[in-house]
Amino acid sequence: MQLIIAIIKPAKLSDVREALEELGCQGMTITEVRGFGRQKGHTELYRGAEYRIDFLPKIRIDIAVIEEQVEAVIDAIQEAAHTGNTGDGKIFVTPLSKVIRIRTGEVDRFAV
Amino acid sequence: MQLIIAIIKPAKLSDVREALEELGCQGMTITEVRGFGRQKGHTELYRGAEYRIDFLPKIRIDIAVIEEQVEAVIDAIQEAAHTGNTGDGKIFVTPLSKVIRIRTGEVDRFAV
Amino acid sequence: MQLIIAIIKPAKLSDVREALEELGCQGMTITEVRGFGRQKGHTELYRGAEYRIDFLPKIRIDIAVIEEQVEAVIDAIQEAAHTGNTGDGKIFVTPLSKVIRIRTGEVDRFAV
Amino acid sequence: MSLSELSYAIDTLFILVSAALVMWMAAGFSMLEAGLVRSKNTTEILVKNILLYALACICFLNVGYQLMYGNSTPSDYAPNAYIFFQLVFVATAMSIVSGAVAERMKLSMFLIFAIIMTAVIYPVSGSWVWGGGFLSQLGFIDFAGAGVVHMAGAAAALAGVLILGPRKGKYGHSGAVYPIPGANMPLASLGTLILWFGWLGFNGGSQLTIHNMENANSVATIFLNTNMAAAAGALAAFLITRLIWRKADLTMILNGVLAGLVAITAEPAVPSVLSATLIGSGAGVIVVLSIVALDRLKIDDPVGAISVHGVVGVYGLICVALTSANASLSNQLIGAAVIFTWVFSCSLIIWWFLNRAFGIRLSVEQEYTGADIAECGVEAYPEFVSAKGR
Amino acid sequence: MSLSELSYAIDTLFILVSAALVMWMAAGFSMLEAGLVRSKNTTEILVKNILLYALACICFLNVGYQLMYGNSTPSDYAPNAYIFFQLVFVATAMSIVSGAVAERMKLSMFLIFAIIMTAVIYPVSGSWVWGGGFLSQLGFIDFAGAGVVHMAGAAAALAGVLILGPRKGKYGHSGAVYPIPGANMPLASLGTLILWFGWLGFNGGSQLTIHNMENANSVATIFLNTNMAAAAGALAAFLITRLIWRKADLTMILNGVLAGLVAITAEPAVPSVLSATLIGSGAGVIVVLSIVALDRLKIDDPVGAISVHGVVGVYGLICVALTSANASLSNQLIGAAVIFTWVFSCSLIIWWFLNRAFGIRLSVEQEYTGADIAECGVEAYPEFVSAKGR
Amino acid sequence: MSLSELSYAIDTLFILVSAALVMWMAAGFSMLEAGLVRSKNTTEILVKNILLYALACICFLNVGYQLMYGNSTPSDYAPNAYIFFQLVFVATAMSIVSGAVAERMKLSMFLIFAIIMTAVIYPVSGSWVWGGGFLSQLGFIDFAGAGVVHMAGAAAALAGVLILGPRKGKYGHSGAVYPIPGANMPLASLGTLILWFGWLGFNGGSQLTIHNMENANSVATIFLNTNMAAAAGALAAFLITRLIWRKADLTMILNGVLAGLVAITAEPAVPSVLSATLIGSGAGVIVVLSIVALDRLKIDDPVGAISVHGVVGVYGLICVALTSANASLSNQLIGAAVIFTWVFSCSLIIWWFLNRAFGIRLSVEQEYTGADIAECGVEAYPEFVSAKGR
Ligand SMILES: Nc1ncnc2c1ncn2[C@@H]1O[C@H](COP(=O)(O)OP(=O)(O)O)[C@@H](O)[C@H]1O
Ligand SMILES: Nc1ncnc2c1ncn2[C@@H]1O[C@H](COP(=O)(O)OP(=O)(O)O)[C@@H](O)[C@H]1O
Ligand SMILES: Nc1ncnc2c1ncn2[C@@H]1O[C@H](COP(=O)(O)OP(=O)(O)O)[C@@H](O)[C@H]1O
């Protein structure tokens, strides 16, 4: 089991979700985050003083998948979230030692 | 050390927190997230056009625990967060290679 | 590759960001979270009834780093986020099996 | 053009301006209530407030006015100005109800009650006092409606709250009270300030004429007294909350303002400006104590409407006996009791019947998700992340 | 001091109070539009509303007034009161445009159009009706501006929307409509209630004199009818949305209020109070249907301005033929057609030219990031986390 | 009923309506300030605004009025109308202070200062100008209070800000200015529009009578000029910010509106409508430059009150010398200097004493957590997740 964490542009969320649904992923969790990176922020102006906003709105998707699906999910996300501009985001993959579905108590591959 | 990530229904947060406190967990971090899964969203209506809200509000709990406590914490969360309806959520367990308490510099089992 | 997760006081965000930039970290992702721990919350009052707020605002920083940098980044965060008061937060380190840059498809050390 | 035509014109203008200010109070109640409920019930409370105003106008115009005033029409000023002024008063009474039953009542049931309240219940008791009925003959004095409008609204609200029960999660075991803070304090403050502004028309306009020195002086005194009572109410509520809890509880201060306004409504023209200030101060203290007391009794009123308009309404009626030579304490108490009994009993029966027949309360699931999604289909602040989940 | 001086004073006071209420409508449009756009475009729509009001005052005062009324000045009341009253009317017309083109138009282009609209386009058609021009001679009746102000504003808005196109993401393939909910429902409701309040001055003040019984009665009737039409509009819009979609769509109810107000504006003094209620109800139904129909036609109007002020404006003009003995259906239709054609054609040419020459639309990237960052540099709610990202 | 009684009535009505509009300005200041502070200090600024209004009414009525006007009472209109009108003016002056010292001052210290300001400091200088004192005899002209009310408020604010120091994090080393954006732009805009609306009563009502042609014409001119100055102020502030920073800074435009209003307040009845427009434009430019300059001087004023009411107040007083035949530049400058010196010195002493004795500033920890938790116990938007943490 792996936990795939994708940081994407907010505008790409529905594309990614659809791509994942097509793959048969039945669940995911998203978080509003703000990202700092190569993509530059913008300058704001307030009462004559300018300031930079460096953290840009991003969406973080957490999705637990069984080993067999890892590659397919990564590919699907990368394709759907891709625009080619800086700031497209990252995918992080981290191992999961266990997954439990709270409702039924099922574990691991039966829980995702 | 393991990091336990639980996605639960917002209404269950105080129950879960109390269960964890009873176990002697002294810390946790929560995040407002939105979940997509088997639990279906609802239809909204705006100016004559309907649309579905698929992402439902959930709470994510991150809690770092020493190995001996992993099972007890998982059980406590599962029990406290359980309603038996779809959407009760998931628990993910992922290994931690290190934990540091910023205030004191203590590490691992002395840091959680 | 390791994913470093730091929970810090919101007021320390810019110090930490600057410290990380000096180290040459080019990216990070932050999330508004709320923490429960040894630091006690405060009492609020509403229409004659008092209640406690136990969850305090914190910032979570997620930063993927190559092995060689792990120690330096941890040290930098600890130093910059340190105030010496309870509630300074924690650093968690968790292994990453893979990192991908969505824009270019580069992986691992070329992706962070 | 003659003197009497000009006088007719100036009185008409005066009433119309006053009535417009009272109409504007609809915005005050809407914002106050929208600020004091949780965000998941905000759209619905706005819908309720706008529709109750619309229904009050239509029902009172077509049915209630006749019941309350018969066919009499004024001759010193435009009859339609007078009718408009009366309309907006009814809406005020009904607005009081919406706040108290907020966050848990079905929209449809609320609207049905609004129809009956504004078409029948309010006009009947109103006729006893202002339509030349037995309470006016008795010598009961209620200048601008502390009893007829405000306490009546609160009585209907109390009946509704008793049938409806408290919001889920408000009261715990062994007397614990869990506060449920409103989502938007600036909105609640704006609402209160709108009401303060509009109340000048509510009380001032009740003089109905301004065309000579005596009336003009009365109207001016009403404006000044109304303002002073509100100011004193705010200050007294602040001082007592600060004394008890060491904090400046904004919503208590807002309720203090409204309490001062309700209290002086019973007779704003007669008291000296100092008396008006004292009446307002008393109201500010009473409303704070009353809110805490109702919570002890597990009577859940999210905006404090029952305390502000009901408890303080009675207090205001009693104060008249102290400041006004023509009033007697017993008559004031009888009047208050009669209006309360009438409105409370009718309302209780109707709420009870509606509850039996259809159920007046949202389902547990709907209450949890929020009335906005359940009844309206759209959230009040769809883009903002909520820290409370649901 | 003489009778006629007092009459002069009272009429002046009446017009000034009315004008102040109409000025206050600027806040109504601002809040309505700020509530119905997304948070990323909120600061910019506020800027537009304040600047358009400022421009309307300056342009109409210096250019438009002359075009519309020549050098005639009133003598029964203070000329400057009359001028102020006229100024704020123009601002109303222009406010209608800002809502319809919201969330995608460049600020600078909007301001240029505002100058031309308030200095020339509006005054010219206005002169035909209120400046003694050919439409007034024809017998076209438009008491307070359902056509001159509201439909004119909507015609300019429609032209703008056609050149501009819909917001990105509003319409999908095969007729799909993706709703884009506004960020702040309490604000939208507040705006509507401000407009309701201010409209009493808009319609009432249009009587211009109140100094004798006849005029005073007219003004009172206008206040009452205006209020009843709005109430009926709210209720009708509620009933029809509830019937069709089983939900109480707040924004449709708000549009119902405004539709009732627009419809009665064409002739608020003549209809009986019952007719006014019926006219308002019709408006409430029409506006809901019109909003849905425009969405089918992919005419994207975030606040419903074209339906509320345009479609219902025409409906209001037609209603005059039914209630007013002096009006004929054909004249009303001719008048509506003439004004529409003039304003729409001029506007279309100007928008088209501006678009050719400079481009009137924000870049895709700017529209995505939001007009607030692109044009104003500051977000409307900088501290709140948004659930929509961008 | 006689002509003079009717005249008495109409003047009373006129003053009462004006006073109600000025009362309503309390909501304007509340919303403006609530919009321009951070969300963690919003509840507290609302508490301050409501309590300062309440205190101003009570203190001025019982102490200040006597100091300012002695025992004289008007005879052409209801004395209580006059008193009410005077009360609300004092509140305006005090509202100016609350904005400038926002986000860091203890509530209790603020309230103590409010008592002294409204009971003594303001009435004393007020008496010199409007109570028949030496400045009026000198020929100093300040029609509606650009100096007496606005600059006086700003002088007290400046003294407070100097003792208090800037908000933590506002100024960095080597002249860096870190903007601290307000939390709610629609609220700030609403507040400004409320003030615009209310200011018609502030300036118009200062004429005090309307009962004959001359006065009616004056009042109408005041309304028109006040509106034009505000419009011009908005436009000028927009043009200059756009010129310098290429962006339409909403809060600067709002300050431009208020600057136009303050500037014309010194003499709104005399200038031609064109002069009024020019005076307003100048004010819009000055206020923007002044805000930037004060930031350079590390004088931290979250809402721009010192620039809007102080710097522009002086400018307005100077403009009188240009438009009004009776005024001389030297007298205007003397008047401004006298009022400023008096209010500033008294305030400085009081703030300094309060600071020595009790400390007027919140602790660093409290400032960081926010005044809402520290002083009021409840957050302004408890359900919304904040992107700024604390
Ligand atoms: N080392 C990192 N750790 C965690 N998140 C990162 C890291 N680098 C980038 N990110 C996230 O990815 C987003 C995109 O990165 P950025 O460098 O702007 O563009 P790109 O991925 O196209 O090179 C950032 O906004 C941030 O949220
Ligand atoms: N594969 C997954 N990866 C990450 N989060 C998931 C996954 N599946 C479900 N979730 C989270 O768990 C929540 C509950 O899942 P759902 O399928 O609705 O119900 P249940 O867990 O009862 O089967 C979802 O809302 C989502 O936040
Ligand atoms: N076991 C844990 N798992 C996850 N997060 C934790 C844990 N313990 C503490 N935290 C986070 O760290 C923050 C600081 O912890 P706290 O105990 O208050 O202070 P300190 O780290 O100084 O001892 C908490 O607010 C919480 O967000």
Side-chain angles (χ1 to χ4, degrees), chain D residues 31-51:
Chain D
M31 294 302 116
L32 177 64
E33 297 175 14
L36 291 181
V37 300
R38 282 165 292 176
S39 60
K40 68 181 178 181
N41 297 315
T42 302
T43 302
E44 202 249 7
I45 202 81
L46 292 164
V47 167
K48 274 187 183 151
N49 269 281
I50 290 173
L51 292 183

Side-chain angles (χ1 to χ4, degrees), chain C residues 79-95:
Chain C
E79 192 171 322
H82 188 268
T83 70
N85 300 322
T86 34
D88 272 358
K90 310 273 192 239
I91 304 174
F92 305 126
V93 185
T94 166

